[in-house]
Amino acid sequence: MQTLTATRVLIPGVIGPYDAHVNLAADWNGFAQPLFTLDTVRQISTDTQAQADECGSDAVITVHVIEGDPGAEGEPRAVVLTVNWQWWCQDGGAKKVTAIAEPTADGLYGLPGSSLCWEIETWDCACEEKNPWHVTVCQCGQLRDMQVAVPDGMVATRVCVDGLATYPAFVVEHARRGHPITPYFPLDAVRELAADTQKAAAQYDPRSAETIHVLETHPDATGNRGTLVLHADWVTEADEGPADAAKVVVPNEHGLYPVGPDWHWSLACWWCTCGWDNAWHSAECRACGLTRAGQPTTPLEAAAWRAGRILRTLAPEATSALIDLHDAARICAVYAGDTEIDTADDTGVFDTETLGEADEALRQALDAAAPGDLAKSKWEHAPDTESADLYRIAFSPAHH
């Protein structure tokens, strides 16, 4: 049984994007083979026929939905077909150019008999990573739902209540940690918040909880949904009744929802490897300048960063070091680009204490490393004629 992933597809510069289900493990000459709901097929039908009217049928594969009367149980009936008009004159006629689509058991339609070159839509993260549409969180941690134009006077960040789960939101740009804020949430974040509040209410005391609910219609022919966000205060319901307990949360002009404005929202933070905490929307650490996206991802990478920071207190130009792991980690050379920096006690810029502190940071990480961590790290094995245990570690760009 094939595994389908909900995503969006398009033919770049031609039609789309459309909601679809795709088996990511299967393709046709490198292109996706999407399955669509009948409502989406209707929209594709409208779009392809409009293109045929504009460009001529010979240049366009058209999709058609022939609607039938409801069946005995009132279910809509339809025949979906594709027509590849460019084959009309190539011996075969109507049967050659026409293909009928059979729905799957779930009522999804492929578009057979055509050479429609579908591609999975992508979205560009602020970190410049390009992600498939079905990947909702970039590898840098930023959400697809937040890759929109930031309203004037606001910043994209993450917020939390009492230090619990964090949610993507927009806040005024002068918001500060430790001060009350009113966040505005995109709809995907509201859905996540709704699930969490309902789960917490069921787990603890529903009578004293406040829950968020998202009510949605099925998509229309254009893929749009009717959406209503409801805030239920169950303490108020017990005291004053449901009419006073339920409030509809109305989105602002940007489609963002001010959910729980009187809750104790605060800015979420991220911790830098240097030990400082920073507001989530701060791209760089306020103490050392290391970016959130550039944080070390393993203990050995973090140790290399710490060693570099220690060495740069006396040699700001340092860019890498050579480590000898024989017996115990020991820095045997420091470089500024391709130039070796003098490390001799009597003539070099370093003192014994500074080199020893950097050595110790590396040793502690190596002692705590699991088998195989060194091979997976960014430490570059650089053996020479004198030692097979030499590794080069590169320092992140210096912050000025």
Side-chain angles (χ1 to χ4, degrees):
M1 181 177 179
Q2 63 178 347
T3 300
L4 298 178
T5 298
T7 187
R8 287 167 65 169
V9 297
L10 76 167
I11 301 176
V14 182
I15 55 173
Y18 305 103
D19 290 335
H21 292 78
V22 175
N23 179 2
L24 300 178
D27 60 42
W28 171 75
N29 292 333
F31 295 102
Q33 300 184 83
L35 296 172
F36 304 98
T37 65
L38 184 57
D39 280 342
T40 301
V41 174
R42 290 188 178 105
Q43 184 60 47
I44 297 173
S45 172
T46 299
D47 293 346
T48 57
Q49 291 178 55
Q51 281 192 319
D53 291 340
E54 179 180 353
C55 305
S57 295
D58 288 349
V60 178
I61 298 169
T62 55
V63 178
H64 302 262
V65 180
I66 312 302
E67 307 281 358
D69 292 332
E73 299 180 358
E75 293 294 325
R77 296 190 298 172
V79 174
V80 173
L81 64 147
T82 59
V83 182
N84 199 333
W85 296 101
Q86 65 180 339
W87 293 347
W88 183 267
C89 298
Q90 298 178 13
D91 66 16
K95 288 188 177 182
K96 176 73 174 180
V97 304
T98 304
I100 306 296
E102 289 286 347
T104 67
D106 297 320
L108 299 175
Y109 290 82
L111 298 177
S114 70
S115 55
L116 293 171
C117 299
W118 294 107
E119 297 181 13
I120 294 175
E121 186 182 12
T122 60
W123 60 276
D124 295 322
C125 183
C127 75
E128 301 184 355
E129 182 74 15
K130 189 178 290 292
N131 300 277
W133 185 260
H134 49 275
V135 176
T136 57
V137 182
C138 181
Q139 62 181 6
C140 74
Q142 298 189 68
L143 274 72
R144 182 190 68 197
D145 204 32
M146 298 296 282
Q147 309 303 312
V148 297
V150 178
D152 289 342
M154 305 190 83
V155 294
T157 187
R158 294 184 75 90
V159 298
C160 58
V161 178
D162 298 328
L164 301 177
T166 67
Y167 305 92
F170 294 94
V171 302
V172 293
E173 59 188 6
H174 58 265
R176 295 292 180 267
R177 294 190 62 205
H179 295 268
I181 58 175
T182 299
Y184 288 79
F185 299 94
L187 186 56
D188 276 353
V190 178
R191 293 189 181 103
E192 183 182 355
L193 183 58
D196 288 350
T197 58
Q198 292 172 48
K199 181 179 178 180
Q203 184 175 358
Y204 299 107
D205 186 358
R207 297 168 298 177
S208 62
E210 294 182 54
T211 53
I212 306 301
H213 303 262
V214 179
L215 311 179
E216 297 182 272
T217 65
H218 291 295
D220 61 18
T222 63
N224 294 320
R225 297 173 181 265
T227 304
L228 186 149
V229 174
L230 196 69
H231 183 160
D233 184 339
W234 297 102
V235 172
T236 301
E237 191 279 334
D239 295 340
E240 303 176 24
D244 293 315
K247 297 179 181 179
V248 174
V249 182
V250 179
N252 66 6
E253 67 272 23
H254 303 291
L256 303 172
Y257 293 81
V259 175
D262 55 349
W263 293 358
H264 296 288
W265 290 108
S266 61
L267 292 174
C269 70
W270 60 274
W271 288 88
C272 181
T273 192
C274 75
W276 283 84
D277 61 333
N278 304 272
W280 184 262
H281 54 274
S282 298
E284 292 186 352
C285 175
R286 57 196 173 96
C288 72
L290 191 61
T291 65
R292 184 180 65 205
Q295 292 293 305
T297 57
T298 68
L300 290 179
E301 290 177 23
W305 181 88
R306 293 190 187 95
R309 192 180 187 202
I310 293 167
L311 296 174
R312 280 174 171 164
T313 59
L314 298 180
E317 71 277 18
T319 58
S320 66
L322 202 59
I323 315 300
D324 190 347
L325 301 190
H326 184 68
D327 292 334
R330 178 180 61 84
I331 296 172
C332 57
V334 180
Y335 295 88
D338 295 330
T339 303
E340 185 173 351
I341 300 174
D342 188 359
T343 57
D345 289 339
D346 52 350
T347 60
V349 297
F350 297 109
D351 53 43
T352 302
E353 290 76 17
T354 300
L355 290 171
E357 184 181 357
D359 288 345
E360 184 60 25
L362 298 171
R363 288 190 190 114
Q364 289 180 2
L366 285 166
D367 288 344
D373 283 357
L374 184 60
K376 299 174 185 176
S377 74
K378 294 181 180 179
W379 292 27
E380 179 187 357
H381 192 207
D384 63 13
T385 56
E386 296 183 3
S387 176
D389 297 321
L390 291 181
Y391 286 81
R392 183 182 295 276
I393 58 173
F395 308 142
S396 58
H399 177 65
H400 299 288

